[in-house]
Amino acid sequence: MSLHVVVGAGPVGSATALLLAERGDDVRLLTRSGSGPEHPRIARIKVDATDAAALTAQCAGATAIHHCAGLEYARWATGFPPLIHAAISAAEASGALLLTVGNLYGYGEFDGPVDESHPLRPNSAKGRVRADLWNEALTAHREGRIRTAEVRGSDYLGAGANSTFTAVVLPAVTAGKTALFPGDPDAPHSWTAIEDVARTLLAVADDESSWGRAWHVPTATPLPVRALADLTATLTGASPARVRGMPSAVLWAAGLFNGDAREIRELRYQFDRPFVVDSTAATKQFGIEPMPTRAALQATLEARKPTRN
């Protein structure tokens, strides 16, 4: 039994905290509001994670810091640097391992399945933010100031998943309406299960030989958006899915009035061509087999059902 700190109670943070608690570890779950799942081993604590001194105090005696905090796209440039800088300071002061949850944005455009050896060549503002922060943490690791690793996934499926698919396509399909997708709905695309992100974080935390590098979360065989929409219709009993590509001009015009649409513009390259993650290294290292996409989508849908009082 050991103590783990989890920063952020979003879908990944909550799943990670529960997995740790269920295997017998004590967890300090840190958020601004003190929210998160209830469990006897989870202490939900109100903390400003950008405050290095406050974060360091909470990390005293911890084995690892699982940094799972998420931000709205519009806040990435200003919000993530103080969060990660405070986490690096806390890891250095406490001696806890720092594990960050990243994504594939830092690679920029790539051809074929991308693995962890691909250089970071971001072509978006959000990609540059994540690449720069990972490089800072990795430099601190190589200098011996901290110990760190990063876990990266593609677009999420699972309880609480928030992606272009879950925001745009899934609601339209379940309502029997035509979905306008900002990209090619027939391009192969990887979908990472939230549960698998949490499982990979725990595996990396337990394996000292895996530190000092990035790992891709074991991810199922890619599935085009149209096929995922068809599966959504099947699982929900909705009418057959109708998905059309959204013209660039429409997305650009939508961005004049909608902040989310504006932020998606620079990421459209991820949906106009195959976007496939190679996660064989993590599967081989940790023995984690990815959750089937059908099961991950089912978890997504179950979590979106209205609760009854």
Side-chain angles (χ1 to χ4, degrees):
M1 182 181 71
S2 57
L3 171 65
H4 290 252
V5 170
V6 177
V7 180
V12 173
S14 293
T16 301
L18 283 171
L19 276 185
L20 287 164
E22 287 166 0
R23 77 175 191 177
D25 290 317
D26 291 323
V27 180
R28 291 177 184 158
L29 180 57
L30 311 183
T31 66
R32 285 183 178 273
S33 63
S35 62
E38 294 186 6
H39 190 283
R41 290 194 175 276
I42 298 176
R44 297 175 295 176
I45 303 171
K46 293 182 180 181
V47 173
D48 179 357
T50 66
D51 184 333
L55 184 59
T56 297
Q58 295 296 335
C59 294
T63 297
I65 306 165
H66 303 259
H67 208 286
C68 306
L71 294 172
E72 300 88 350
Y73 276 154
R75 295 179 56 206
W76 277 36
T78 57
F80 269 125
L83 281 170
I84 301 303
H85 293 157
I88 292 173
S89 295
E92 185 171 7
S94 67
L97 169 70
L98 173 60
L99 297 175
T100 53
V101 177
N103 52 41
L104 309 183
Y105 297 7
Y107 298 125
E109 293 190 45
F110 51 81
D111 294 315
V114 66
D115 65 20
E116 299 92 333
S117 67
H118 195 282
L120 295 178
R121 291 194 289 244
N123 62 340
S124 67
K126 286 177 274 295
R128 285 190 289 275
V129 168
R130 295 316 303 247
D132 288 347
L133 292 173
W134 166 240
N135 283 330
E136 287 186 41
L138 187 58
T139 296
H141 175 96
R142 290 171 175 168
E143 292 174 349
R145 296 190 287 116
I146 69 171
R147 299 165 300 153
T148 193
E150 181 160 275
V151 168
R152 298 172 182 161
S154 188
D155 291 284
Y156 291 158
L157 289 176
N162 183 23
S163 68
T164 303
F165 177 83
T166 61
V168 176
V169 179
L170 189 150
V173 171
T174 55
K177 299 178 180 179
T178 298
L180 287 180
F181 182 71
D184 179 359
D186 296 307
H189 198 93
S190 289
W191 308 95
T192 299
I194 288 171
E195 184 77 9
D196 290 338
V197 181
R199 292 166 67 202
T200 306
L201 282 169
L202 270 63
V204 174
D206 293 341
D207 182 358
E208 186 173 350
S209 71
S210 70
W211 303 345
R213 58 162 290 179
W215 294 93
H216 287 171
V217 176
T219 296
T221 302
L223 196 67
V225 164
R226 192 184 306 280
L228 193 60
D230 289 340
L231 183 56
T232 299
T234 298
L235 291 176
T236 60
S239 56
R242 301 189 303 275
V243 183
R244 293 169 45 201
M246 180 186 296
S248 298
V250 174
L251 179 61
W252 184 263
L256 298 175
F257 309 98
N258 183 284
D260 291 337
R262 184 162 55 250
E263 293 296 333
I264 290 173
R265 289 171 179 170
E266 68 170 5
L267 302 176
R268 179 156 183 159
Y269 73 91
Q270 298 179 8
F271 306 113
D272 276 338
R273 56 192 297 173
F275 194 75
V276 178
V277 59
D278 180 342
S279 57
T280 53
T283 295
K284 181 178 180 181
Q285 178 83 5
F286 308 118
I288 299 173
E289 293 295 334
M291 178 183 292
T293 299
R294 184 187 183 98
L297 178 59
Q298 185 70 63
T300 308
L301 295 167
E302 287 293 330
R304 294 170 71 95
K305 290 181 178 178
T307 56
R308 296 182 179 178
N309 295 328

